[in-house]
Amino acid sequence: MTPKELSDQLWNQVDRVAKYLLPNGKRESGEWVAGSVGGEAGKSLKVNLQGKKVWQDFAEGDGGDLLDLWVLSRDCGLHQAMQEAKEFLGIKDTDHHFAAKQQKKFSRPKPENIKKFVKKTDDCYDYLESRGITRATAEKFKVSSAVVWSHEEKRELKAIAFPYKRDNELLQVKRISTERPNGKKVIMAEGDCEPCLFGWQTMPKESRAVIICEGEIDCMTYVQYGFPALSVPFGGGKGAKQQWIDFEFHNLDRFEEIWLSLDTDEVGLAAAKEIASRLGEHRCMLVKLPHKDINECLKAGMTDEQVLDVLERAEMFDPEELYSAREFYQDTVDAFYGQEQYLFPTPWSTLNGNFMFREAELTLVNGVNGHGKTEVVGHMTLEAMKHGVKTCVASLELKPGQLLKRLTRQATCVKLPPKNEIESAFNFYDDRLWLFGLTGTAKADRLLEIFEYARKRYGVKLFIIDSLMKCGIGDDDYNAQKAFVDAVCDFKNRTNSHVILVTHSRKGDSEEKPTGKMDVKGSGSITDLTDNLFIIWRNKAREKAIQKQSLNEPLTDKDQSALSAPASMLMLEKQRNGEGWEGGIPLYLDEPSHQFLMADGASPFSYIANMPANDYNEVWMNENVTQY
């Protein structure tokens, strides 16, 4: 529990608290008045009892929240005040940190052992002065000269003894050699002592912010700069290195802000991340120093103001997914006034004014069996490749050869293209088209793994899945369907790609009318999660009327009506982004090319005749200039 949270609970019972801390005061006009924080009668100190959460000693100038009043009235440190306040409110720390502290009884350093290695010399002060630490600072921490035994050197080495004290109790003594044979330091600590932080003896009793650093000399350096600091006992790293947290967790409750200033190496960053995750990322900040550690900064001549500037620019441990709105200012301006960016247009200019394919979106193409879902998606695929968009197709219903036969027919505009045109088509596919080479029921997870690889390895930005029913998910397993579409959405958002997913319509009474978005087969989450939904519908009544006409059979009024209607309709039933336009365009399937054309009898577009192999980027750029 943080000081602010505890103070808020105290304010909820401000009448009780005021009487308890200032027993000789009295209530006057919505305030508790007393002579001073000592609690005697008088009117200099006033505590608001009507919800303003403020108190003020007008004689001394003191004020703040109720924990500040507790510290001053009881003449104790903030940690003790918080413990007493919790007891007053009936709050108990019964979590695993408390339990861990009770499980093991630790020893305290024995005075007779300390006497054996502590030396009454100034060696420690001389060494610390070489590190920029003044004698006055060293004396605040009660350090002393000492010796450690070096097994490698087989002799005693000069050292500094660092006492770990909390609440005036000696918990540990750590010795670090100042002599470094072969560049190695020797570290000794008393056995079976409680893991704890170094530096409590210099902590201001009212401080609610602290710097946690990596090393006793760094702690002394920060204190010399004028900042409250503590040091981890075992250095950087994870796991057991930070076991002190179990025993110091509630001692750190008093701090609302914790700056983590560990070494700028990999183990230092690992320690900072673990400490933040356990103490609470919401109150921790990562300090990025211009040198390895704060003592190096001191030796480099950094001033108090420069160190303060570094601390003020410390980074929060915000989740990667959390952003300030300010970071999207330019995106917002562009959304109002900028040119909207598209991945590629559709093959139909009648639709492009209202829709184009954008990055990080999922598009469903839905329809009844035999109405042209695969053909219309193939046409979209060729248009994407024409504009330089690398594409990966997972056609789970067609073998690769059959898929490429259909696609090549559309690319060349010929039902049976000569081999040289097939070669031209494959030159067009080179470096633009990849296939997921598995038909039948594919495992959804494996499919997305392959897509992830294709995105990273080859820069693919358009992914096509034909169809959902072949992804290894049961028709009635709605939870699995939702989970898969969720995963697809995560993929397209994470990779900034576009995914086209072919789905099927539920079987109705007839095919005479187009289906709607409520007719998509499977879980309702499929259409809920998608960004765009296309439905392709084939006017079979028109085809029957044309057949009757060719046989000179009499036509009914219904036949005449069907002949005047489009051969197919491509309907956009949902568009989450863009301007949100929804509607449909008439299309006509050209039999030789199997392209969908905007007018009956129009000429198809030859993707191999009109697209030189390496000029697609320039063409796309020119089209952007002229069309948008």
Side-chain angles (χ1 to χ4, degrees), residues 344-371:
F344 64 96
T346 74
W348 310 287
S349 60
T350 50
L351 180 59
N352 288 338
N354 296 306
F355 173 86
M356 291 190 191
F357 290 94
R358 293 172 285 262
E359 294 180 337
E361 289 191 356
L362 168 64
T363 295
L364 296 189
V365 175
N366 186 75
V368 176
N369 284 334
H371 277 237

Side-chain angles (χ1 to χ4, degrees), residues 40 59 66 126 136 143 232 234 237 323 342 440 515 558:
E40 71 275 9
L66 289 182
D126 294 338
V143 301
V232 298
F234 309 124
Y323 299 88
Y342 295 93
T515 58
K558 184 177 179 180

Side-chain angles (χ1 to χ4, degrees), residues 107-303:
S107 302
R108 296 291 184 255
K110 295 179 172 57
E112 58 271 23
N113 290 343
I114 296 174
K115 290 179 181 179
K116 294 178 182 178
F117 57 72
V118 169
K119 305 298 179 183
K120 294 183 178 181
T121 68
D122 289 345
D123 293 340
C124 68
Y125 303 118
D126 294 338
Y127 175 79
L128 291 171
E129 187 175 350
S130 72
R131 301 285 296 269
I133 304 297
T134 66
R135 182 164 186 146
T137 299
E139 289 176 346
K140 285 182 181 179
F141 286 87
K142 308 296 183 184
V143 301
S144 60
S145 300
V147 293
V148 292
W149 178 259
S150 171
H151 293 284
E152 185 175 328
E153 292 288 309
K154 295 184 172 31
R155 66 180 179 90
E156 288 185 339
L157 303 177
K158 291 181 180 180
I160 301 177
F162 296 96
Y164 281 61
K165 300 181 72 175
R166 187 179 64 228
D167 298 330
N168 295 319
E169 183 179 10
L170 184 64
L171 304 179
Q172 173 63 278
V173 177
K174 184 176 175 182
R175 289 169 284 153
I176 303 177
S177 68
T178 56
E179 292 184 74
R180 306 286 168 83
N182 300 318
K184 297 179 181 179
K185 60 184 175 182
V186 180
I187 301 175
M188 301 290 292
E190 298 302 289
D192 200 32
C193 289
E194 178 182 331
C196 58
L197 294 165
F198 173 78
W200 283 112
Q201 59 265 46
T202 68
M203 184 61 57
K205 66 179 183 179
E206 72 284 354
S207 179
R208 299 194 185 189
V210 67
I211 300 167
I212 295 181
C213 53
E214 184 182 334
E216 294 80 4
I217 291 180
D218 282 348
C219 179
M220 298 169 75
T221 303
Y222 268 120
V223 170
Q224 184 165 299
Y225 270 121
F227 302 104
L230 299 168
S231 171
V232 298
F234 309 124
K238 300 184 294 184
K241 288 289 194 79
Q242 311 309 330
Q243 64 176 312
W244 58 267
I245 296 175
D246 286 340
F247 306 95
E248 294 278 30
F249 187 85
H250 290 300
N251 296 323
L252 297 170
D253 280 350
R254 59 181 282 191
F255 301 115
E256 294 176 343
E257 295 179 319
I258 300 174
W259 280 268
L260 299 179
S261 178
L262 291 96
D263 288 356
T264 56
D265 54 17
E266 186 175 339
V267 292
L269 182 59
K273 288 181 177 180
E274 175 154 340
I275 294 168
S277 68
R278 295 182 63 185
L279 296 184
E281 293 167 333
H282 63 284
R283 61 172 175 158
C284 291
M285 292 160 285
L286 180 64
V287 178
K288 293 189 175 180
L289 296 168
H291 301 281
K292 178 179 180 293
D293 54 43
I294 190 62
N295 189 251
E296 292 294 325
C297 294
L298 176 65
K299 292 192 292 182
M302 284 184 64
T303 65

Side-chain angles (χ1 to χ4, degrees), residues 92-112:
K92 294 182 179 180
D93 294 323
T94 56
D95 58 12
H96 66 281
H97 298 286
F98 178 80
K101 202 166 186 176
Q102 303 304 309
Q103 285 175 0
K104 184 174 181 180
K105 299 298 182 182
F106 292 102
S107 302
R108 296 291 184 255
K110 295 179 172 57
E112 58 271 23

Side-chain angles (χ1 to χ4, degrees), residues 65-85:
D65 62 22
L66 289 182
L67 276 177
D68 293 315
L69 181 59
W70 203 298
V71 167
L72 293 172
S73 64
R74 288 291 184 265
D75 190 24
C76 64
L78 180 58
H79 178 61
Q80 182 179 337
M82 291 180 69
Q83 289 180 315
E84 292 179 4

